[in-house]
Amino acid sequence: MFVDREEELGKLFKYLRLWEKGNLKGVLIYGLRRVGKTRLIEEFIKRAKYRGARLDASWISTPRDMLKLFSKKLMNAFDTEISVSREEDPIFQIEEALSLPEKIAKKLDERIIIAIDEFHSMLETIPVHLSKAGYGKADDIRERILWLIRDKIQSTDKVFWILSTSISFTLIKERSKDKKGRDVLLSTLNLLKVGPLKKSDAKKLAMALNSELSESNAELIAELTGGIPRLIEVIASELRGNKDILNKIHKMIEEGKLDEVFEAILNFMTDFSRRERILLIRVLKAVSEDNRTVKDVANYLGMDRQSAYLLLEELVRLDLLVKEKVNKIVKYEIRYPLMKYWLNLRVEPTKTMDIVFSTLGITAESYIRELFNHCIGREITIWDDSKGTFLAGTSEVIKLKIIRTLDLDEIRKYNADAGIVTEEGLILIEVKAKEKDITKEIVARICRREGKWFLIHLGTGEITKPAVAEAIKCGVVIITREGVKLIAKKTDFPIIP
């Protein structure tokens, strides 16, 4: 559902008019996941006087994938046929894919709008894939793709280009530079940040999604969600009636129905920072438990005040915290009210933990996703010992060369906790982090699913012998807590205690 993004739409139409006058620049739309970037693009194309198409690049991992996606989507969107080369050279395939929009525009003799959603995927997966296939260094290939995109944006007045991304602007700046540190891409783009909805628009969205809501409860939802559209959608669609709204939202948090949204916020926001994600979440957890001053946070986490201050200020810069002076003392608070409750309910309270990801549930899953994402492009080899210390005796060795990790939408499709794409194919991952034994029944449930699976055990329970036997029987590899520590150690990633 689209609710009042007139300011953002106005900027897009402004950039379109400038392009029409010969200012051959595209647009980069950036913002956290689930904030409404895709819906904004679709509405813009719908209202514009030119026909357009949105291409989802999040599934692209090879040049051939890119060419197939572009050709199929463009022919369907513009109801026309275009010839596609069978050339096997991957760089040629990339160039041909990027040339297809102009080819269609010329054939139809009209101007068109092309939006590449999550375009950064092309800069992440394709270079790694081609580098491993022997086509050169990944950084050189990435730079080549950047120059190809730049050339297509600047060389034609037939195609108005929109690129969107959910990774941080800081990372985009880094990945838009050549080896000498010079900007290649951003100078050809107008920038548009898409943030949460205004309170009035958030209220309007809540009432549009649920006609049973009273104005006061819709306003409460708008305030609690901080204007994040996806949060509003999840909450408003679940509520029935107008009584006990806070209790119902509390139950939704306990049941994990908001995990996906807050995970996406943390993934996006903490990408802005060079500081460890884990440290930032430790500080957020401290503030959520009413440690609101530098002194309180430092004491809670057992760190010096200077470190606590720097981390708190970083979270203010990331827009996760707000600060105010009360009687000459600076106090910090979580910007999004529901995030505070989520941290309290979904991240277990502890003052002695080395990292928040050693807790249970979604945080353990998040740690594993972050670990494997950190491992992209690296070669990982883990040998088990006679005691099964690392792989529980389910495999002698695992060798991984990770091309990419699955995003949350892909993970949900497979009913998994995480997933990685390696040179050998897709591996799905289930994470167990509770104080329960890993039994034969648990492994058997995984065995009944399709695909290759890893079972990662971060909990304190035992891995039973029948579970190991069942895993060996059906090809499930169990990675123990020590195995995860070893992967983290080999790749310089924060190690769970």
Side-chain angles (χ1 to χ4, degrees):
M1 180 174 291
F2 187 80
V3 174
D4 195 7
R5 285 283 190 181
E6 296 306 322
E7 182 178 342
E8 291 87 348
L9 280 171
K11 289 181 179 179
L12 282 173
F13 279 106
K14 171 188 171 184
Y15 298 143
L16 180 63
R17 288 192 295 271
L18 290 171
W19 173 77
E20 289 173 326
K21 294 176 181 177
N23 182 11
L24 298 184
K25 277 192 170 186
V27 180
L28 172 66
I29 298 177
Y30 64 100
L32 57 88
R33 291 183 185 275
R34 305 295 186 182
V35 83
K37 299 185 300 298
T38 297
R39 189 65 190 88
L40 174 66
I41 290 169
E42 291 171 343
E43 187 68 20
F44 172 67
I45 291 175
K46 178 181 175 182
R47 297 191 191 186
K49 61 183 177 182
Y50 306 119
R51 287 196 286 171
R54 183 184 70 85
L55 308 172
D56 183 1
S58 61
W59 294 90
I60 293 175
S61 58
T62 70
R64 175 57 66 183
D65 290 342
M66 182 178 175
L67 185 55
K68 284 182 179 178
L69 171 72
F70 278 44
S71 58
K72 181 179 179 180
K73 292 289 186 180
L74 291 173
M75 284 191 281
N76 287 340
F78 296 99
D79 194 24
T80 187
E81 294 289 327
I82 47 174
S83 60
V84 178
S85 163
R86 294 188 178 182
E87 173 64 53
E88 291 300 319
D89 178 76
I91 299 300
F92 181 88
Q93 291 172 347
I94 296 169
E95 186 168 7
E96 183 174 17
L98 292 170
S99 299
L100 290 178
E102 184 179 7
K103 192 174 180 180
I104 284 181
K106 287 181 176 179
K107 178 181 179 181
L108 299 175
D109 192 26
E110 62 181 82
R111 287 178 158 184
I112 63 174
I113 298 169
I114 297 297
I116 305 180
D117 218 349
E118 304 295 356
F119 88 101
H120 62 274
S121 294
M122 300 187 302
L123 303 179
E124 294 173 350
T125 55
I126 291 178
V128 172
H129 172 81
L130 294 184
S131 178
K132 291 177 178 178
Y135 285 92
K137 295 181 179 179
D139 286 343
D140 293 338
I141 297 167
R142 183 179 295 109
E143 186 176 326
R144 184 85 177 271
I145 296 173
L146 285 171
W147 282 107
L148 285 173
I149 297 173
R150 177 190 176 99
D151 177 66
K152 297 307 174 187
I153 291 174
Q154 291 192 315
S155 64
T156 179
D157 62 354
K158 288 286 188 180
V159 182
F160 181 65
W161 291 88
I162 299 173
L163 308 178
S164 84
T165 180
S166 294
I167 69 172
S168 74
F169 184 63
T170 301
L171 285 177
I172 285 295
K173 282 198 296 184
E174 291 176 0
R175 296 177 191 185
S176 297
K177 294 178 180 178
D178 63 16
K179 288 181 292 185
K180 295 182 180 180
R182 298 172 300 188
D183 173 66
V184 176
L185 190 57
L186 290 185
S187 59
T188 68
L189 298 167
N190 293 297
L191 306 179
L192 177 58
K193 181 179 180 180
V194 178
L197 293 170
K198 297 175 183 176
K199 188 174 179 180
S200 58
D201 295 330
K203 175 182 172 183
K204 190 186 303 182
L205 175 59
M207 297 189 73
L209 289 166
N210 187 339
S211 58
E212 295 180 12
L213 283 177
S214 65
E215 283 199 32
S216 59
N217 279 332
E219 191 167 328
L220 176 63
I221 291 172
E223 184 175 339
L224 288 174
T225 59
I228 299 173
R230 180 57 181 161
L231 266 181
I232 298 168
E233 289 171 7
V234 173
I235 292 172
S237 60
E238 287 274 337
L239 294 176
R240 295 292 178 269
N242 284 288
K243 293 183 178 180
D244 299 322
I245 293 292
L246 287 176
N247 286 334
K248 290 175 182 177
I249 294 174
H250 186 279
K251 187 177 180 181
M252 289 173 65
I253 296 174
E254 285 186 322
E255 293 173 350
K257 292 182 178 179
L258 305 184
D259 287 349
E260 171 207 349
V261 184
F262 287 118
E263 280 284 291
I265 292 172
L266 292 177
N267 286 340
F268 176 80
M269 297 297 231
T270 55
D271 271 345
F272 274 95
S273 178
R274 293 184 181 274
R275 298 183 183 277
E276 289 184 7
R277 169 191 173 97
I278 292 166
L279 281 175
L280 294 173
I281 294 182
R282 289 181 67 190
V283 174
L284 280 174
K285 175 64 179 174
V287 176
S288 76
E289 293 186 0
D290 291 327
N291 297 285
R292 297 186 57 198
T293 67
V294 172
K295 179 182 177 181
D296 290 342
V297 170
N299 290 339
Y300 180 88
L301 296 175
M303 61 173 60
D304 62 88
R305 293 190 188 184
Q306 178 65 14
S307 297
Y309 170 76
L310 292 174
L311 288 165
L312 285 163
E313 287 298 308
E314 182 76 348
L315 287 165
V316 171
R317 187 179 75 83
L318 294 171
D319 211 27
L320 281 170
L321 294 181
V322 293
K323 65 178 182 177
E324 62 175 349
K325 269 191 176 182
V326 180
N327 297 326
K328 297 183 179 181
I329 298 175
V330 176
K331 294 192 174 184
Y332 299 84
E333 185 58 89
I334 306 284
R335 176 173 290 278
Y336 304 107
L338 278 185
M339 179 176 279
K340 177 177 180 177
Y341 303 134
W342 179 78
L343 287 164
N344 279 328
L345 292 170
R346 299 295 289 167
V347 179
E348 290 189 354
T350 170
K351 297 183 180 182
T352 59
M353 62 184 176
D354 288 327
I355 59 170
V356 171
F357 288 131
S358 63
T359 59
L360 308 182
I362 189 68
T363 50
E365 298 158 8
S366 174
Y367 176 82
I368 294 302
R369 290 197 291 267
E370 289 293 315
L371 171 60
F372 282 118
N373 192 55
H374 175 73
C375 294
I376 290 174
R378 303 167 187 253
E379 295 186 14
I380 304 166
T381 301
I382 302 295
W383 290 89
D384 206 7
D385 60 17
S386 59
K387 297 179 181 179
T389 302
F390 307 109
L391 303 176
T394 57
S395 179
E396 183 180 353
V397 62
I398 56 171
K399 295 183 179 181
L400 302 174
K401 295 179 76 173
I402 299 175
I403 298 172
R404 72 180 184 93
T405 56
L406 301 190
D407 62 28
L408 289 173
D409 289 332
E410 294 174 289
I411 291 167
R412 283 197 303 274
K413 288 180 182 178
Y414 290 106
N415 192 27
D417 294 323
I420 55 177
V421 178
T422 71
E423 287 190 336
E424 289 73 36
L426 174 65
I427 299 174
L428 299 168
I429 298 166
E430 179 152 330
V431 180
K432 296 296 183 184
K434 296 185 178 181
E435 297 177 8
K436 293 182 179 179
D437 291 346
I438 300 298
T439 63
K440 178 181 177 180
E441 290 70 28
I442 289 173
V443 176
R445 284 197 294 270
I446 298 174
C447 292
R448 288 193 288 269
R449 303 177 193 171
E450 293 184 2
K452 182 175 181 179
W453 284 82
F454 283 173
L455 171 58
I456 293 181
H457 179 46
L458 297 179
T460 56
E462 297 293 326
I463 301 172
T464 65
K465 289 183 179 180
V468 172
E470 185 71 14
I472 294 171
K473 177 183 174 182
C474 64
V476 171
V477 176
I478 299 177
I479 303 178
T480 67
R481 192 183 189 88
E482 293 303 315
V484 172
K485 286 184 182 181
L486 186 56
I487 295 173
K489 182 178 179 181
K490 283 174 173 282
T491 57
D492 296 320
F493 193 77
I495 298 174
I496 56 177

